[in-house]
Amino acid sequence: MLTSPTTSRRGFLRIAGLGALAAGLPACSSVLPAPDTTAPGFGTSATGTVRVWCRANTQTGLTALVDAFNASQDRLTVELTPIPDVQYVTKLATVIRARDVPDLVDIDDINSLLFVFRDAFTDLTDLIAQLDFADRLSPGHLALGTVGDRRYAVPYLADNSALFCNTRLFEQAGLDVDEATTDLDSLLDAARRITALGGDVKGWTFPGNSQGALGFVVQPHIWAADTDLIRGDVGAQSGNVIGNEAVAQLLEFYRALWVDGLAPQENFADDASRWGSDYLAGRIGMMPTNYSTITTDADPAIVAATTVRLLPGPGGGRAFFDGGDNMCIPRGAANASGAWEFVRFALDVPQQSALPEGGYTPVRSDVATPEFAAKYPLVLPSLQAQNEGYAPKTLSYNEIYNQPDGPWLTMFRRAVFDGEIEAAMAEAQQGYDRILGQARA
């Protein structure tokens, strides 16, 4: 029996016993037939066309891959269809109901579970186990497509959060990057010393009015303390906000950044539409973000002056948001064999090694060769510490974290900008419980 990959922040975040809950959740439609993944030649001798959906936000990670695959052989042709991220879940549910699914979906890993629990994806457990690098695949991605001991998704690309540091400003402030990034107190001290350099230099920056970006870069500080804002197994979850000391300390940290003027005033209204512009201008000491924000169309001098650390917890520890894409074969796929052949191609070392060119991180830890490390040093911390990656395993992520009126953004802004930390946490507890309770109904 294949054991479920761990995404635990040790004991607290252990995931278990999810399989029996799937039947109780509403299905997208009557279940489509599962392809026979044990058929002779499956994944090696398919012909025809493979229809692949990708999300528009990570389309750059797929376009070159499709071109390379189509040029590598003449039996299969992959046709790529980008879907706007805000429409992806709805459109996929619609085609499942219509029983006209694509052969492969490249889906935001945080949304994988929504369809796994509705029995919409093919069981890939045995196919993944046959990969000779299966134990080197991102465990966080795998967990988001795992129910019980069965896997319905395979990682493709990672889009991880981390702490990007301007080494020039650290040196000017007399700071050692490692010593200055061990916990929240050290980060706050470093932010003060960098801001003290004067002018328009600030120690920190954050998108204070972007619920999704804040969820991506702020939550890992909490996970690094071996806790989360949600407790319980999927289908029986509740909020874990009130009494969570790590959450309180995190909000106090951001409140101090704000009231002490250690971050730009523009952060108050920043909806992430210009995310990273202040860092790329050389004015910011530390920025929690992702690899593509720092490297896309950036001044090479700024990139060269940047180093990366994982995000620390209040008292130490490290974590990052294990974002990115999973690949899943919908039940009812007309060319599931061709889809799996394309998946295996996508996971081969040459293709994975090229992902940083599009702004993404590989999902295979064995890609981190000395040559790769020398070429892409900024993607190494999360790649070499895959077990520190995490993403909440819940059916309610979008309602809690990606809605502008959700309890996450409301809590953050009330605590950080208004200073009402205790009241904000109490209000958030009610919001989390309400939304998670609706998922149980």
Side-chain angles (χ1 to χ4, degrees), residues 315-340:
R318 299 279 182 177
F320 62 89
F321 196 114
D322 216 339
D325 290 6
N326 280 338
M327 285 185 169
C328 308
I329 299 176
R331 293 175 65 114
N335 198 347
S337 177
W340 185 249

Side-chain angles (χ1 to χ4, degrees), residues 6-7 16 27 36 47 54 56 68 113 140 245 268 276 350 402 411:
T6 179
T7 60
D36 182 5
T47 60
C54 73
L113 206 61
E245 186 61 23
F268 177 84
N402 286 335
M411 176 183 70

Side-chain angles (χ1 to χ4, degrees), residues 207-224:
N209 198 32
S210 174
Q211 63 277 0
L214 286 173
F216 182 64
V217 301
V218 174
Q219 287 187 92
H221 294 290
I222 298 168
W223 303 335

Side-chain angles (χ1 to χ4, degrees), residues 102-124:
D103 301 303
L104 183 71
V105 294
D106 176 74
I107 189 170
D108 190 330
D109 63 351
I110 204 72
N111 289 328
S112 302
L113 206 61
L114 296 174
F115 293 93
V116 171
F117 265 85
R118 285 150 179 82
D119 208 15
F121 291 155
T122 299
D123 187 338
L124 304 178

Side-chain angles (χ1 to χ4, degrees), residues 292-306:
S292 63
T293 298
I294 295 300
T295 58
T296 302
D297 299 324
D299 182 346
I302 288 292
V303 177
T306 295

Side-chain angles (χ1 to χ4, degrees), residues 382-424:
S382 60
L383 185 59
Q384 293 178 324
Q386 285 185 333
N387 287 334
E388 303 302 331
Y390 178 73
K393 196 165 186 177
T394 179
L395 301 179
S396 302
Y397 190 89
N398 288 319
E399 291 83 356
I400 291 173
Y401 293 101
N402 286 335
Q403 297 297 325
D405 59 350
W408 162 249
L409 182 63
T410 300
M411 176 183 70
F412 183 89
R413 289 185 63 83
R414 185 177 181 184
V416 173
F417 298 126
D418 298 335
E420 300 174 357
I421 294 176
E422 185 175 340

Side-chain angles (χ1 to χ4, degrees), residues 121-138:
F121 291 155
T122 299
D123 187 338
L124 304 178
T125 307
D126 296 334
L127 294 175
I128 294 173
Q130 292 166 15
L131 299 172
D132 59 9
F133 50 87
D135 61 343
R136 292 162 184 169
L137 290 171
S138 167

Side-chain angles (χ1 to χ4, degrees), residues 10 22 54 87 93 132 195 226-227 247 382 441:
R10 293 183 276 280
C54 73
Q87 300 175 16
D132 59 9
T195 303
D226 302 321
T227 187
V247 176
S382 60

